[in-house]
Amino acid sequence: MADLSTIIGSLRLKNPTLLASGIMDEDAGSMQRMIDCGASAIVTKSIGMQPREGYANPTVLELEYGLLNAMGLPNPGIDQFAQEMKKLQKSKTPIIGSIYAADAEEFVALASKMEQYGAAAVELNVSCPHAKRYGLEVGCDATLLQTIVSSVKQQVKIPVFVKLSPSVVNIVEIAQAAEKGNADAIVAINTVKGMKIDLETAHPILANRTGGYSGKAIKPIGVRCVYDIAQNVNIPVIGVGGITTGEDAIEYFMAGASAVQIGSAVYYRGPDVFRHVCKEINVWMDTHGYKKICELVGVAYQ
Ligand code: SIN
């Protein structure tokens, strides 16, 4: 049996599969279920300063090759979220607090609260493809991003991860800005901006019109981003985007990821996806003579 443990900054994970932000992670009960199904860490729903209802329905569409969603960052707000974090305080599985904001001051306030609540790390969501003021508006500005990351780093002791969007001109430059701000890891990628039009009504189906596309179809985009980023930064990269099987995860490791996050595949394969993917990684590594995840990281560069 191969050793599936992996290290991201100061976080030691028992296996390389984390729950991605945005699915089964809005309350302690659903997060606990994902822990019980084998996720090595949980990234929470993205939380902001104030409660937010999110967009009207329809917010999620199942398309031929993936999911298109525009939830609109619905969340109870950081103060209310304390209750969910409290219920998981004794958990041995790291809980990573995903936060979104429009400026450094808000990011610092949110990260400090997540730290107080016992989060093992924070993930700065600067990549939501459709929320006005938040997300991509922050994550495509390298200078602003560096300021935000360094402000958060000066305030909290827990590791700071930064989740990037593929919908930027140069994702390497954005990743390097996060690294210059002292980020502990890069998470790549968030969903890809997309749209679905109903031919009969001649209207976009999502209430928000545009959304973020996830699932198998975006895996080549994620793998390319990880491949480009990992060769140009000296901090770990966590791959996300279309990981459904162990072989998908192996591809991300070869591209340079030290761990992967799984989101849409929880919908496609059920919550046991973490166990299945770990088993498949193990079988592949045994068959190909690899003993540790780190032996696979970045082998595609040669
Ligand atoms: C949403 O809440 O609409 C998605 C959040 C994200 O893509 O970061």
Side-chain angles (χ1 to χ4, degrees), residues 45-46 55 69-74 125 127-130 163 190-191:
K45 173 90 198 130
S46 291
Y55 304 140
N69 91 83
M71 313 294 291
L73 296 165
N125 179 358
S127 44
C128 175
H130 47 73
K163 185 171 184 181
N190 206 327
T191 54

Side-chain angles (χ1 to χ4, degrees), residues 23 60-69 191-192 212-216 218 263-265 267-268:
I23 187 156
V60 188
L61 301 174
E62 185 177 349
L63 304 183
E64 223 170 339
Y65 305 110
L67 301 175
L68 186 67
N69 91 83
T191 54
V192 180
Y213 195 35
S214 63
K216 269 205 168 290
I218 72 163
S264 302
Y267 172 81
Y268 289 110

Side-chain angles (χ1 to χ4, degrees), residues 22-294:
I23 187 156
M24 300 293 283
D25 55 3
E26 53 284 313
D27 60 53
S30 54
M31 290 192 266
Q32 185 58 53
R33 181 142 184 249
M34 298 299 106
I35 293 170
D36 296 342
C37 287
S40 66
I42 301 293
V43 187
T44 69
K45 173 90 198 130
S46 291
I47 305 295
M49 293 296 287
Q50 303 299 334
R52 220 174 118 105
E53 272 201 5
Y55 304 140
N57 282 324
T59 51
V60 188
L61 301 174
E62 185 177 349
L63 304 183
E64 223 170 339
Y65 305 110
L67 301 175
L68 186 67
N69 91 83
M71 313 294 291
L73 296 165
N75 77 98
I78 191 72
D79 290 335
Q80 190 68 18
F81 197 62
Q83 289 176 18
E84 303 309 319
M85 293 294 286
K86 201 167 167 204
K87 291 180 204 157
L88 292 169
Q89 234 166 18
K90 296 216 169 82
S91 171
K92 288 200 177 79
T93 300
I95 309 295
I96 300 166
S98 171
I99 51 179
Y100 72 87
D103 57 39
E105 203 182 324
E106 282 185 5
F107 267 114
V108 167
L110 290 163
S112 304
K113 292 220 166 162
M114 282 292 189
E115 185 173 47
Q116 277 168 34
Y117 300 165
V122 280
E123 181 177 283
L124 313 188
N125 179 358
V126 293
S127 44
C128 175
H130 47 73
K132 286 176 197 71
R133 286 185 62 230
Y134 305 113
L136 205 39
E137 282 181 40
V138 178
C140 67
D141 181 336
T143 311
L144 175 60
L145 182 61
Q146 186 180 333
T147 306
I148 288 172
V149 178
S150 90
S151 307
V152 173
K153 279 294 291 179
Q154 279 163 40
Q155 187 67 29
V156 299
K157 292 197 176 67
I158 53 177
V160 175
F161 302 167
V162 184
K163 185 171 184 181
L164 301 185
S165 168
S167 310
V168 292
V169 176
N170 184 348
I171 197 166
V172 171
E173 185 185 300
I174 303 291
Q176 286 172 331
E179 184 181 36
K180 277 192 206 134
N182 280 327
D184 295 276
I186 301 294
V187 181
I189 54 174
N190 206 327
T191 54
V192 180
K193 197 167 185 165
M195 179 185 273
K196 168 77 181 162
I197 294 173
D198 182 327
L199 300 192
E200 298 310 316
T201 62
H203 209 269
I205 300 179
L206 288 174
N208 185 59
R209 292 171 177 249
T210 65
Y213 195 35
S214 63
K216 269 205 168 290
I218 72 163
K219 194 186 72 174
I221 302 172
V223 169
R224 191 281 298 175
C225 289
V226 168
Y227 183 84
D228 284 351
I229 294 168
Q231 289 179 86
N232 288 290
V233 298
N234 293 307
I235 50 177
V237 179
I238 301 173
V240 52
I243 295 147
T244 312
T245 66
E247 293 196 357
D248 295 333
I250 302 278
E251 198 177 339
Y252 270 93
F253 301 146
M254 289 185 171
S258 300
V260 292
Q261 294 183 356
I262 295 178
S264 302
V266 174
Y267 172 81
Y268 289 110
R269 291 189 80 180
D272 277 328
V273 64
F274 300 97
R275 274 203 199 99
H276 295 318
V277 168
C278 286
K279 195 169 166 205
E280 291 155 5
I281 293 172
N282 230 317
V283 169
W284 193 95
M285 287 176 71
D286 280 351
T287 321
H288 292 79
Y290 288 95
K291 301 242 171 306
K292 291 175 166 199
I293 297 290
C294 60

